[in-house]
Amino acid sequence: MSPLLVGCSEDSETASLRALEPAGEASVLCLARDADGAFTRGVERSACPKLGNVPDDEQRHLHALVTQPASGEVALVNLAVNANDAVVDFEPSQPGYSFMPVGAEPGAIVSTPGGIASFVAVREPGREGIFGLPSSCIGARPPSAPVRDIRTWPACRLPVAPGPMVLLNDPAIDHDMDASTPERLRGTCAAEYVEAEQLVGQALAAGREQCPADLATEAHPLGRRKLAVTLPSLGQVWVIDAQELLDRAPGSFEPCNFERRLALQVELSDAVQALPADLVPSSPSCAPVGFNHGPVPDSFRPWPVDLALDDQQRLYIADSEAPVVHVVDVSDPCALVSLPPLEPRSFTDPNAVVTTRRVAVSPLTPLGKRFVYAVDNSATPTAGSLMLFDVSPGSTQRTPVIRERSPFNPNEPPDRISLSRDVADVEFVFQDFPEPDDGIAIEGVTCDPDPSLPTDRPEALYRPSPAASSGARKLRGTFAFAALHSGQIAVVDIEDLDGACRRPVSVNPGPTEDISGCKNDDPDVQLLGGYQIAIDIPTVSDELSCNVVAPHRVRSGSFFTNASGARSAGLVGFPTLTLETGRSVATDQSSEGRDQPKMLAARHLAGQKSDLYVGPLIYETDTIASNLLQVDPEVAERSGLLLSYEEPRAFSPSEDFTSTYEGVVRAAAQAVLVLDEASGLGVINEGLNASFCVAGVQDLELTRGVGANLGVTSSVEQTAFARRHSDYAQLVGDLAESNDAYWNAPNAGAECGRELYQNESDNPTSLSGRALCEQFFRSPEVPDNINRDFRILEASEDRLLVEPRGFDPLMNSPTRRRHLIEFAACCFPEPTPFQVRAGHQWVVRGSATGVPHRVTADPVSQRCVADCSPLVQRRQGRAFEISCSQSCSTSAIGLARPGEDFACVVDDADDGIDPGEPGSECIFQNLTTRFAVYRGQQRSARDMRFRWQLTDGFRPLTISLSSSVDRTPSAPRSLVLVPELNSLLVTDGSSRGITLVLPRTPGFTTLSIF
C-alpha cells in the first residue's frame, strides 16, 4: 500500500488498519521528532509537512487527534506514513493498540497552530470539563517515562456539558505603532501588556519535567491562545485561557476559570428574503404560503451546537433551538461583541421555525465574496439541506439567499441546496493547480475562452484539451464539500475559476437565454469547441449548456456533452408510438402512418437550426443536413422532438419518458363513490390519504382557464372546451363476486339500477342488480368503456365532485344524472380502486420526474386552483393535439371536429409550426423537451403512447466513502480541512475511523484508516 502523501492515483485507495473505533471529532497538528525520535514536538502547521530526503530528526509530519466516543479516548494518527503504521500506540506495554484516556463522551477537540497542545471537551455526566493534552506526551510512551493515564492531563471542570469549541488568539499589539518596537502580549485579559519574549518560559507548565507545554513559544500567529467553549444548556460562550488550563496540576479537576462570558441572545428582526427578478410574484397571493405550524413562540432559548470562524475573526454559531445563526466578533477574545445574527428562513414555508445544526464559512473568494452555509435543522421537508448566506464585505442581507433561475429547478427550494441525502457536515475548500508561466505559477487565474487571446497568456493556459482530460475539468476555485449521511461527499460550486470555459461554442449576445441557457455573450467573440475537427486549439469545453457551472448548485461529475463519445443528454432512439393494444405502429407517410398522431420537433426560434443527438448521430432541423430532423408533418417519416439545455440539472440520468393519450394523472387508489343529496352529484372522498391537488388534477374551472390560455375566447366555447378536456375519475375495480350476499334480496344490491330503465307506466325491466351492473360497467380491462368514467366538476385536495362522463346536460335531465350516480354507487358499495386521467390530452410523464403541473390547493377552501407562483411556471406535463381546419392545405393532419375542437386548429403546418404562428400555443415545452403533436386521420385512443429515453443526464459529482473492498458502510460525522495536504479529513461514526479525501479531478482520491 502506498504512503498517504505519495503515489496517490486518481482511483480510490483504501489502507486497511482495524485500530480505530468509530470516530467523533478530529483536529490536526504538526509534530516533529524529539530527542527520543518520537513525534512529540509541536511545530507550526505552515512548516508542515517536511518529508522526503531530509534527516529523520528534521522530518515534520501532520497528525490527527481523533476522539473515540465509545471508549472515552483520543487516538493519535500520523498522516504522513504508511497507513498500516499510522495509528500511534499510546501505551506500548499494553497488548494491542491503546489511546489517550480522557473520560466518557469526548466531543469537540482543537489544537494550537504551533502544535504545542490540544484540548478536548468531555461530556461525561458528573465529570463535564476540558482536558489539556500537551503534545510532549501524546505519542508512544518512552520506556523511561512513567505510565500515563487520565491523571496525566491537566483539566478543569465545567458546570454543564460542553458543546463545540474553537481556539481564539488574543493578538499582540504595538502601542507606539512603531515597527521597531517589540510586539507586546498580555498573559490574561486582566493583565498588562508586556513584551512577548517576557512570557516565554514563565508558565508553570513550561518547566514541568513530564509533559511540558509553553504556548508562548508559538509565534505564528503571535498572541495568547484562548479557548471559546460553548455551554449549550446555559446558552453561553466562555473564554478560557489555554495556558492557564495547561498550568493546572495533572490529574486535578477544579472548576474552570472563565475570563469572559457571553450570554447568547435571540433577537429577530423583520427582515425579509430578497427575491430575484424571476421569482417576484404577480400578486401577494402568488407567494408561497407553506403550512400552518401553529403559533410562533414569543421567545427562544439559545442552544449552540456548531462553530465556524472566518479569517476576520467573526464567529458563526449554529443554534438547534433558536432560528438564528449567532455572529460574534472575537477579534479581541477579551471583549466579545455580539453582531446582528443571520436569520434562517424558508421561502417555500415562510411560517416555519428554522434552526440549524452545522455551520461553515468560506474564505474570501477571488471575487471578494464570502458565504456561510448552514444545515437546516427544522421539522420541515427541507431539513438536512443547506442554506446559503451572503456575508461578503458590505453585505447587509441576513436571511438565506434565494438563487436566481430557480424556476428552472422547481424541485429544489430556491433558498436551499438539496442533495441526495441529509448533510452531516459541510466545509469550504479553495484550491488551485496553477500552470507555470515563465516559471512563475500564479494562483487565482480565471480561464478566458477568447480565441484572440495569445495562447501563452496565463488565462489561456487553463482551457480544456481536445481530449477533455485537463483544463476546465479540474476543480480550481472555491467549492463546498458536503458529507452526506449516505456515506458520500457531494460538491457544490461556489466560484469555479474555469467556469467561463465550461460552455457551448455557440454564442448569444442577447439578454434572453437561448435553449442552451446562454445570454449576454460578446458578439465579437467566436468560440472554438473542444470536439470540433479543426487545427485550432479549443477554448471552451463545447458542453450543451452555459449553466453547467452555476454558483451554489451541485457540481457536475463530468462534462455535460454529447460529443466525443459522451452521451450526457441525447436520445437512445427516436420516439416510438404504441397503440392502446400495445402494438407498435409506424408514424410515416403510409396510409396506416397517416392514421396515427405524429410527435415532431418544434423549433425554438423561426429559422433557427436545432440539433438532436440520437445514439451516436447528430440530427439537424436544417433542411440541407445529411441527417435531417424533420419538423414538417407532411413529409416526416418518424417521430421526433428537441431537447432544451437551459438547465442541465433538469435531466435525470437515463430517464424514461412517455406521452400518453388520456394518460393517468394520479395513480390508482381506493375510495367510495357516494351521492351528494344536495347537488345530485357524485362524491369521491379519500379522507386523510387524498392528494388530488398535489397530483395536479384539473377540474372544470381549471380546464376552462387552460382553454382561455390557448386562445378560446367565448364563454360558450370555454365551457364546451372544459367539459371535453376536464380530468375524469375512472373506476378500475371489479364488482363484488356473484355469490356475494350483497346481490341477494333484501339487500340493496338486488335492486341496483331498477329505476334507470323504468318505462312511462313505471313497469320495471326484468334486468337489475348484479346482472345490470355487469352489463353496464363491464370489466375494467374493456377499452374505451365510458360508463366507468366520471368527469371531475370540482376538485379539492381531499375530494372530487363528479358526474358521469357520458352525461350531456343539453340532452339529459339532472334526474338522469342522479340515477346514474346512484346506480354506480349501488354497483360499487365498498371502497373501489379508481384513477384520474386527463380528458383528450397527452400526459407527459418522466420515470423520475413524474407529471409536472401548475396546480395547488387554495389555502382557505382547499380547492384545486392554478398555481401562479413563478417557481412552477416552467412545469408542464400536458399536450394538446394540433388539428386541421376545413381549409387546411395538407392531408397529413387530421381534421378538427365541430363541437369538440376549439383550440390548436390551423390552416396549414408547412415546414412545421414556428413560435408565433397559429397553433404554436399548443407546442409542448417543459424544462427538457419541446415537440408538437399533430392529429392523425383517425381519432387518438386512450393509452396510445409515445415513448423515448435519455442516454444519460446530469450526474452530480460525489464520491463514496464506503470501502470497495469489504463493503464497510460509512457514517461521516465531521469534516476537517487540511490545507497543507490539499485534503479533507472525514471522521466516521462507523467502523471506518477517518478518511482523507483529496479533491482532485476527474475524481477524488480517498485513503482510509479504520
Side-chain angles (χ1 to χ4, degrees):
M1 179 57 62
S2 62
L4 283 174
L5 299 183
V6 296
C8 296
S9 69
E10 290 182 336
D11 298 321
S12 294
E13 298 184 19
T14 300
S16 177
L17 179 63
R18 300 192 179 277
L20 292 188
E21 297 175 354
E25 304 290 331
S27 67
V28 176
L29 71 165
C30 179
L31 297 176
R33 294 186 187 273
D34 59 18
D36 294 327
F39 286 97
T40 59
R41 183 165 56 89
V43 182
E44 296 171 13
R45 283 183 61 171
S46 60
C48 226
K50 188 175 182 181
L51 306 169
N53 296 322
V54 297
D56 287 348
D57 59 353
E58 295 183 15
Q59 289 188 0
R60 300 166 186 167
H61 293 187
L62 284 166
H63 289 68
L65 283 168
V66 187
T67 61
Q68 307 285 279
S71 62
E73 298 174 309
V74 175
L76 179 65
V77 181
N78 191 331
L79 301 179
V81 301
N82 285 337
N84 288 328
D85 302 319
V87 179
V88 177
D89 186 6
F90 179 66
E91 180 47 65
S93 64
Q94 295 180 5
Y97 282 91
S98 62
F99 306 133
M100 291 169 268
V102 293
E105 299 187 39
I109 185 168
V110 296
S111 300
T112 62
I116 297 297
S118 302
F119 303 87
V120 57
V122 175
R123 299 187 293 264
E124 181 178 351
R127 289 187 57 83
E128 301 90 347
I130 304 173
F131 285 79
L133 309 179
S135 297
S136 55
C137 279
I138 62 177
R141 181 181 62 84
S144 59
V147 173
R148 298 167 182 167
D149 55 23
I150 193 171
R151 295 166 296 180
T152 301
W153 318 119
C156 69
R157 181 191 300 274
L158 290 168
V160 295
M165 179 171 61
V166 68
L167 197 71
L168 304 180
N169 192 59
D170 184 9
I173 66 167
D174 183 349
H175 285 294
D176 299 326
M177 302 298 291
D178 184 348
S180 63
T181 302
E183 292 178 292
R184 300 164 66 83
L185 292 174
R186 54 187 172 185
T188 65
C189 290
E192 297 294 330
Y193 282 91
V194 298
E195 291 185 12
E197 292 183 355
Q198 296 182 27
L199 295 178
V200 176
Q202 298 302 307
L204 292 177
R208 190 174 287 152
E209 180 180 358
Q210 296 294 329
C211 308
D214 188 357
L215 298 181
T217 61
E218 295 193 354
H220 297 284
L222 187 62
R224 184 80 171 187
R225 309 299 184 231
K226 307 289 184 181
L227 293 170
V229 184
T230 59
L231 303 179
S233 62
L234 299 181
Q236 296 178 359
V237 179
W238 283 18
V239 175
I240 297 174
D241 187 80
Q243 185 66 60
E244 189 273 337
L245 193 155
L246 292 171
D247 287 345
R248 295 184 175 223
S252 64
F253 201 60
E254 297 301 315
C256 298
N257 296 324
F258 63 85
E259 294 191 281
R260 293 292 184 268
R261 179 171 58 185
L262 176 67
L264 298 174
Q265 303 296 319
V266 181
E267 297 179 359
L268 302 179
S269 71
D270 56 358
V272 296
Q273 292 179 273
L275 292 175
D278 58 359
L279 278 182
V280 175
S282 56
S283 72
S285 63
C286 297
V289 175
F291 301 94
N292 181 5
H293 297 276
V296 177
D298 294 331
S299 62
F300 295 91
R301 176 188 183 186
W303 194 284
V305 290
D306 195 28
L307 303 174
L309 182 66
D310 70 13
D311 53 16
Q312 297 300 304
Q313 301 305 298
R314 287 196 174 188
L315 186 63
Y316 298 90
I317 307 175
D319 196 310
S320 64
E321 295 293 331
V324 295
V325 174
H326 307 277
V327 184
V328 182
D329 183 345
V330 295
S331 56
D332 182 353
C334 298
L336 305 180
V337 179
S338 292
L339 301 176
L342 305 178
E343 300 185 27
R345 304 284 176 83
S346 173
F347 171 78
T348 55
D349 195 359
N351 298 316
V353 174
V354 181
T355 60
T356 53
R357 63 172 179 259
R358 283 286 190 174
V359 65
V361 60
S362 77
L364 202 64
T365 70
L367 294 180
K369 306 289 285 183
R370 192 190 307 278
F371 304 99
V372 164
Y373 277 13
V375 179
D376 186 333
N377 190 53
S378 66
T380 71
T382 61
S385 62
L386 291 171
M387 288 176 283
L388 151 70
F389 298 88
D390 186 349
V391 295
S392 305
S395 174
T396 59
Q397 187 175 352
R398 296 164 57 185
T399 55
V401 173
I402 298 178
R403 297 162 298 177
E404 63 179 358
R405 302 190 73 260
S406 288
F408 288 97
N409 294 271
N411 293 322
E412 182 178 47
D415 57 354
R416 297 293 191 273
I417 301 170
S418 299
L419 301 168
S420 59
R421 288 289 298 276
D422 287 359
V423 176
D425 198 9
V426 61
E427 184 59 88
F428 289 93
V429 173
F430 173 80
Q431 64 177 8
D432 198 354
F433 306 98
E435 297 284 351
D437 177 31
D438 292 333
I440 300 175
I442 303 174
E443 285 192 340
V445 176
T446 59
C447 185
D448 191 327
D450 187 350
S452 65
L453 192 72
T455 56
D456 59 351
R457 285 282 299 274
E459 298 89 340
L461 298 177
Y462 299 97
R463 293 169 178 170
S465 70
S469 60
S470 63
R473 198 177 184 189
K474 291 181 178 178
L475 278 173
R476 288 197 323 119
T478 306
F479 308 91
F481 289 77
L484 309 181
H485 286 305
S486 60
Q488 294 180 311
I489 288 185
V491 183
V492 179
D493 281 315
I494 309 296
E495 278 184 17
D496 184 357
L497 294 174
D498 296 320
C501 296
R502 296 282 305 274
R503 57 159 298 151
V505 173
S506 60
V507 295
N508 175 25
T512 303
E513 286 189 1
D514 59 16
I515 62 171
S516 296
C518 305
K519 65 178 181 179
N520 298 324
D521 290 327
D522 187 343
D524 298 326
V525 174
Q526 299 299 314
L527 303 175
L528 301 176
Y531 305 105
Q532 61 189 27
I533 300 175
I535 62 173
D536 299 301
I537 299 175
T539 64
V540 296
S541 55
D542 198 13
E543 295 178 71
L544 296 168
S545 176
C546 276
N547 293 306
V548 174
V549 174
H552 310 295
R553 295 200 184 274
V554 293
R555 185 172 182 81
S556 174
S558 62
F559 276 14
F560 191 70
T561 180
N562 289 330
S564 188
R567 297 288 179 268
S568 290
L571 297 186
V572 173
F574 284 100
T576 58
L577 175 66
T578 56
L579 301 181
E580 68 279 13
T581 61
R583 179 174 71 88
S584 297
V585 63
T587 56
D588 55 16
Q589 297 301 319
S590 67
S591 176
E592 183 184 37
R594 289 201 168 204
D595 282 345
Q596 314 306 329
K598 287 182 171 58
M599 171 189 285
L600 298 177
R603 286 180 286 259
H604 294 78
L605 293 175
Q608 182 187 65
K609 180 180 75 68
S610 299
D611 301 335
L612 175 68
Y613 277 86
V614 182
L617 301 177
I618 183 172
Y619 292 80
E620 302 176 359
T621 58
D622 192 335
T623 55
I624 64 173
S626 57
N627 289 329
L628 179 62
L629 179 64
Q630 188 57 259
V631 299
D632 189 345
E634 184 69 37
V635 297
E637 293 290 337
R638 59 190 168 200
S639 302
L641 51 79
L642 285 175
L643 297 176
S644 301
Y645 299 113
E646 290 99 322
E647 178 46 68
R649 293 158 190 82
F651 288 86
S652 297
S654 305
E655 188 168 13
D656 196 344
F657 289 91
T658 57
S659 180
T660 307
Y661 191 69
E662 295 203 341
V664 174
V665 174
R666 186 179 180 277
Q670 285 198 338
V672 177
L673 173 65
V674 298
L675 175 71
D676 178 62
E677 295 290 348
S679 64
L681 300 174
V683 176
I684 296 176
N685 192 331
E686 282 187 323
L688 296 177
N689 295 324
S691 56
F692 296 118
C693 304
V694 170
V697 172
Q698 294 182 0
D699 59 13
L700 279 182
E701 188 61 28
L702 267 172
T703 310
R704 184 184 182 94
V706 171
N709 292 334
L710 293 177
V712 182
T713 56
S714 78
S715 177
V716 173
E717 289 186 344
Q718 285 180 1
T719 300
F721 177 92
R723 292 188 62 81
R724 177 167 174 77
H725 294 289
S726 175
D727 290 354
Y728 62 92
Q730 178 193 23
L731 298 177
V732 293
D734 293 314
L735 297 170
E737 296 294 334
S738 58
N739 59 358
D740 194 300
Y742 172 74
W743 303 115
N744 301 325
N747 295 318
E751 300 295 320
C752 288
R754 186 171 296 276
E755 71 282 0
L756 276 177
Y757 297 102
Q758 293 177 339
N759 56 30
E760 294 181 358
S761 302
D762 254 2
N763 293 321
T765 65
S766 59
L767 193 62
S768 63
R770 192 183 190 283
L772 182 57
C773 292
E774 186 175 22
Q775 183 187 77
F776 189 84
F777 290 107
R778 296 184 290 173
S779 168
E781 285 75 29
V782 175
D784 295 330
N785 179 16
I786 197 173
N787 291 337
R788 282 179 171 262
D789 301 343
F790 291 82
R791 180 184 296 112
I792 299 174
L793 304 179
E794 184 179 302
S796 300
E797 188 66 277
D798 60 350
R799 75 169 200 161
L800 304 175
L801 201 62
V802 300
E803 69 176 8
R805 197 179 180 209
F807 173 77
D808 187 341
L810 299 179
M811 302 178 62
N812 304 119
S813 69
T815 301
R816 175 69 174 176
R817 178 174 62 187
R818 183 186 188 96
H819 287 165
L820 287 170
I821 294 172
E822 287 179 331
F823 176 47
C826 183
C827 293
F828 298 95
E830 299 294 331
T832 302
F834 75 99
Q835 59 191 9
V836 177
R837 290 179 175 267
H840 301 291
Q841 302 174 54
W842 291 84
V843 175
V844 180
R845 178 184 297 274
S847 56
T849 52
V851 180
H853 64 83
R854 300 189 292 266
V855 178
T856 189
D858 182 272
V860 177
S861 67
Q862 291 298 299
R863 279 287 306 275
C864 297
V865 296
D867 191 344
C868 57
S869 168
L871 183 63
V872 302
Q873 295 312 302
R874 294 183 180 274
R875 293 173 59 93
Q876 178 62 277
R878 302 173 184 233
F880 289 88
E881 291 182 338
I882 299 173
S883 58
C884 258
S885 67
Q886 294 296 325
S887 58
C888 199
S889 60
T890 179
S891 60
I893 308 176
L895 291 175
R897 297 177 180 87
E900 295 183 3
D901 298 314
F902 306 99
C904 312
V905 179
V906 300
D907 292 335
D908 67 74
D910 293 343
D911 197 26
I913 294 177
D914 285 331
E917 294 183 345
S920 60
E921 67 276 8
C922 287
I923 291 176
F924 177 85
Q925 172 74 71
N926 68 4
L927 291 170
T928 63
T929 311
R930 183 177 176 87
F931 61 81
V933 178
Y934 297 95
R935 177 173 295 174
Q937 295 298 327
Q938 300 295 322
R939 287 179 180 268
S940 297
R942 184 162 68 191
D943 286 332
M944 294 179 76
R945 181 172 301 173
F946 290 99
R947 180 178 181 268
W948 64 99
Q949 185 178 9
L950 297 179
T951 50
D952 204 343
F954 183 91
R955 294 182 181 272
L957 179 58
T958 60
I959 182 174
S960 174
L961 297 171
S962 299
S963 171
S964 61
V965 178
D966 58 6
R967 304 299 179 187
T968 305
S970 175
R973 296 186 60 169
S974 67
L975 298 175
V976 179
L977 180 62
V978 190
E980 298 84 359
L981 302 181
N982 192 35
S983 303
L984 285 170
L985 188 150
V986 185
T987 66
D988 202 306
S990 72
S991 61
R992 294 182 57 75
I994 63 173
T995 302
L996 271 183
V997 177
L998 285 69
R1000 299 178 178 177
T1001 304
F1004 293 99
T1005 302
T1006 63
L1007 301 109
S1008 302
I1009 303 169
F1010 54 100

